[in-house]
PDB file of all heavy atoms in Angstrom:
ATOM      1  N   THR Z 201      -9.236   6.198  -1.617  1.00 89.00           N
ATOM      2  CA  THR Z 201     -10.465   5.728  -2.310  1.00 89.00           C
ATOM      3  C   THR Z 201     -10.518   6.350  -3.701  1.00 89.00           C
ATOM      4  O   THR Z 201     -11.537   6.375  -4.350  1.00 89.00           O
ATOM      5  CB  THR Z 201     -11.703   6.192  -1.516  1.00 89.00           C
ATOM      6  OG1 THR Z 201     -11.648   7.604  -1.294  1.00 89.00           O
ATOM      7  CG2 THR Z 201     -11.756   5.460  -0.125  1.00 89.00           C
ATOM      8  N   GLU Z 202      -9.399   6.953  -4.189  1.00 89.00           N
ATOM      9  CA  GLU Z 202      -9.386   7.591  -5.541  1.00 89.00           C
ATOM     10  C   GLU Z 202      -9.697   6.562  -6.613  1.00 89.00           C
ATOM     11  O   GLU Z 202      -9.253   5.359  -6.530  1.00 89.00           O
ATOM     12  CB  GLU Z 202      -8.004   8.117  -5.798  1.00 89.00           C
ATOM     13  CG  GLU Z 202      -7.640   9.316  -4.813  1.00 89.00           C
ATOM     14  CD  GLU Z 202      -6.156   9.667  -5.038  1.00 89.00           C
ATOM     15  OE1 GLU Z 202      -5.832  10.355  -6.012  1.00 89.00           O
ATOM     16  OE2 GLU Z 202      -5.305   9.320  -4.153  1.00 89.00           O
ATOM     17  N   PRO Z 203     -10.379   6.911  -7.685  1.00 88.00           N
ATOM     18  CA  PRO Z 203     -10.763   5.951  -8.743  1.00 88.00           C
ATOM     19  C   PRO Z 203      -9.590   5.257  -9.356  1.00 88.00           C
ATOM     20  O   PRO Z 203      -9.640   4.113  -9.800  1.00 88.00           O
ATOM     21  CB  PRO Z 203     -11.525   6.828  -9.743  1.00 88.00           C
ATOM     22  CG  PRO Z 203     -11.989   7.967  -8.940  1.00 88.00           C
ATOM     23  CD  PRO Z 203     -10.960   8.224  -7.943  1.00 88.00           C
ATOM     24  N   ASP Z 204      -8.416   5.990  -9.468  1.00 87.00           N
ATOM     25  CA  ASP Z 204      -7.270   5.411 -10.152  1.00 87.00           C
ATOM     26  C   ASP Z 204      -6.334   4.673  -9.211  1.00 87.00           C
ATOM     27  O   ASP Z 204      -5.217   4.237  -9.628  1.00 87.00           O
ATOM     28  CB  ASP Z 204      -6.494   6.520 -10.894  1.00 87.00           C
ATOM     29  CG  ASP Z 204      -5.985   7.614  -9.945  1.00 87.00           C
ATOM     30  OD1 ASP Z 204      -6.464   7.656  -8.797  1.00 87.00           O
ATOM     31  OD2 ASP Z 204      -5.052   8.366 -10.333  1.00 87.00           O
ATOM     32  N   ALA Z 205      -6.685   4.590  -7.936  1.00 91.00           N
ATOM     33  CA  ALA Z 205      -5.812   3.816  -6.963  1.00 91.00           C
ATOM     34  C   ALA Z 205      -5.831   2.351  -7.340  1.00 91.00           C
ATOM     35  O   ALA Z 205      -6.875   1.751  -7.647  1.00 91.00           O
ATOM     36  CB  ALA Z 205      -6.340   4.003  -5.551  1.00 91.00           C
ATOM     37  N   ARG Z 206      -4.675   1.747  -7.340  1.00 89.00           N
ATOM     38  CA  ARG Z 206      -4.549   0.363  -7.714  1.00 89.00           C
ATOM     39  C   ARG Z 206      -4.731  -0.519  -6.439  1.00 89.00           C
ATOM     40  O   ARG Z 206      -4.480  -0.058  -5.336  1.00 89.00           O
ATOM     41  CB  ARG Z 206      -3.210   0.083  -8.396  1.00 89.00           C
ATOM     42  CG  ARG Z 206      -2.022   0.219  -7.490  1.00 89.00           C
ATOM     43  CD  ARG Z 206      -0.742  -0.203  -8.188  1.00 89.00           C
ATOM     44  NE  ARG Z 206       0.442  -0.257  -7.345  1.00 89.00           N
ATOM     45  CZ  ARG Z 206       1.588  -0.665  -7.681  1.00 89.00           C
ATOM     46  NH1 ARG Z 206       1.782  -1.152  -8.954  1.00 89.00           N
ATOM     47  NH2 ARG Z 206       2.600  -0.655  -6.861  1.00 89.00           N
ATOM     48  N   SER Z 207      -5.096  -1.802  -6.634  1.00 90.00           N
ATOM     49  CA  SER Z 207      -5.329  -2.696  -5.535  1.00 90.00           C
ATOM     50  C   SER Z 207      -3.990  -2.974  -4.790  1.00 90.00           C
ATOM     51  O   SER Z 207      -2.954  -3.168  -5.452  1.00 90.00           O
ATOM     52  CB  SER Z 207      -5.872  -4.021  -6.037  1.00 90.00           C
ATOM     53  OG  SER Z 207      -5.916  -4.952  -4.988  1.00 90.00           O
ATOM     54  N   ILE Z 208      -4.080  -2.902  -3.491  1.00 90.00           N
ATOM     55  CA  ILE Z 208      -2.842  -3.113  -2.719  1.00 90.00           C
ATOM     56  C   ILE Z 208      -2.348  -4.520  -2.843  1.00 90.00           C
ATOM     57  O   ILE Z 208      -1.166  -4.773  -2.630  1.00 90.00           O
ATOM     58  CB  ILE Z 208      -3.144  -2.701  -1.177  1.00 90.00           C
ATOM     59  CG1 ILE Z 208      -1.788  -2.575  -0.469  1.00 90.00           C
ATOM     60  CG2 ILE Z 208      -3.990  -3.821  -0.542  1.00 90.00           C
ATOM     61  CD1 ILE Z 208      -1.977  -2.020   0.906  1.00 90.00           C
ATOM     62  N   SER Z 209      -3.224  -5.451  -3.257  1.00 82.00           N
ATOM     63  CA  SER Z 209      -2.782  -6.861  -3.435  1.00 82.00           C
ATOM     64  C   SER Z 209      -1.794  -6.978  -4.592  1.00 82.00           C
ATOM     65  O   SER Z 209      -1.040  -7.969  -4.639  1.00 82.00           O
ATOM     66  CB  SER Z 209      -3.986  -7.751  -3.664  1.00 82.00           C
ATOM     67  OG  SER Z 209      -4.669  -7.376  -4.828  1.00 82.00           O
ATOM     68  N   SER Z 210      -1.726  -5.980  -5.457  1.00 79.00           N
ATOM     69  CA  SER Z 210      -0.797  -6.064  -6.596  1.00 79.00           C
ATOM     70  C   SER Z 210       0.499  -5.289  -6.266  1.00 79.00           C
ATOM     71  O   SER Z 210       1.398  -5.204  -7.091  1.00 79.00           O
ATOM     72  CB  SER Z 210      -1.398  -5.355  -7.826  1.00 79.00           C
ATOM     73  OG  SER Z 210      -1.648  -4.006  -7.570  1.00 79.00           O
ATOM     74  N   PHE Z 211       0.604  -4.799  -5.082  1.00 74.00           N
ATOM     75  CA  PHE Z 211       1.773  -4.025  -4.675  1.00 74.00           C
ATOM     76  C   PHE Z 211       2.823  -4.882  -4.008  1.00 74.00           C
ATOM     77  O   PHE Z 211       2.574  -5.431  -2.945  1.00 74.00           O
ATOM     78  CB  PHE Z 211       1.309  -2.865  -3.781  1.00 74.00           C
ATOM     79  CG  PHE Z 211       2.482  -2.068  -3.195  1.00 74.00           C
ATOM     80  CD1 PHE Z 211       3.184  -1.262  -3.961  1.00 74.00           C
ATOM     81  CD2 PHE Z 211       2.776  -2.172  -1.832  1.00 74.00           C
ATOM     82  CE1 PHE Z 211       4.229  -0.550  -3.450  1.00 74.00           C
ATOM     83  CE2 PHE Z 211       3.835  -1.474  -1.299  1.00 74.00           C
ATOM     84  CZ  PHE Z 211       4.570  -0.625  -2.086  1.00 74.00           C
ATOM     85  N   ILE Z 212       3.951  -4.980  -4.594  1.00 64.00           N
ATOM     86  CA  ILE Z 212       5.082  -5.726  -4.023  1.00 64.00           C
ATOM     87  C   ILE Z 212       6.026  -4.649  -3.491  1.00 64.00           C
ATOM     88  O   ILE Z 212       6.653  -3.952  -4.266  1.00 64.00           O
ATOM     89  CB  ILE Z 212       5.827  -6.643  -5.043  1.00 64.00           C
ATOM     90  CG1 ILE Z 212       4.746  -7.573  -5.707  1.00 64.00           C
ATOM     91  CG2 ILE Z 212       6.900  -7.451  -4.385  1.00 64.00           C
ATOM     92  CD1 ILE Z 212       4.028  -8.475  -4.773  1.00 64.00           C
ATOM     93  N   PRO Z 213       6.186  -4.578  -2.188  1.00 60.00           N
ATOM     94  CA  PRO Z 213       6.888  -3.412  -1.629  1.00 60.00           C
ATOM     95  C   PRO Z 213       8.377  -3.528  -1.670  1.00 60.00           C
ATOM     96  O   PRO Z 213       8.981  -4.616  -1.924  1.00 60.00           O
ATOM     97  CB  PRO Z 213       6.396  -3.543  -0.112  1.00 60.00           C
ATOM     98  CG  PRO Z 213       6.221  -4.969   0.128  1.00 60.00           C
ATOM     99  CD  PRO Z 213       5.616  -5.534  -1.138  1.00 60.00           C
ATOM    100  N   HIS Z 214       8.996  -2.375  -1.603  1.00 62.00           N
ATOM    101  CA  HIS Z 214      10.423  -2.218  -1.390  1.00 62.00           C
ATOM    102  C   HIS Z 214      10.839  -2.960  -0.116  1.00 62.00           C
ATOM    103  O   HIS Z 214       9.947  -3.062   0.833  1.00 62.00           O
ATOM    104  CB  HIS Z 214      10.717  -0.723  -1.332  1.00 62.00           C
ATOM    105  CG  HIS Z 214      12.154  -0.381  -1.214  1.00 62.00           C
ATOM    106  ND1 HIS Z 214      12.804  -0.267   0.014  1.00 62.00           N
ATOM    107  CD2 HIS Z 214      13.128  -0.060  -2.144  1.00 62.00           C
ATOM    108  CE1 HIS Z 214      14.002   0.088  -0.192  1.00 62.00           C
ATOM    109  NE2 HIS Z 214      14.213   0.188  -1.525  1.00 62.00           N
TER     110      HIS Z 214
END
Side-chain angles (χ1 to χ4, degrees):
T201 57
E202 297 171 74
D204 60 344
R206 67 177 185 173
S207 172
I208 197 170
S209 61
S210 66
F211 174 70
I212 306 300
H214 183 270

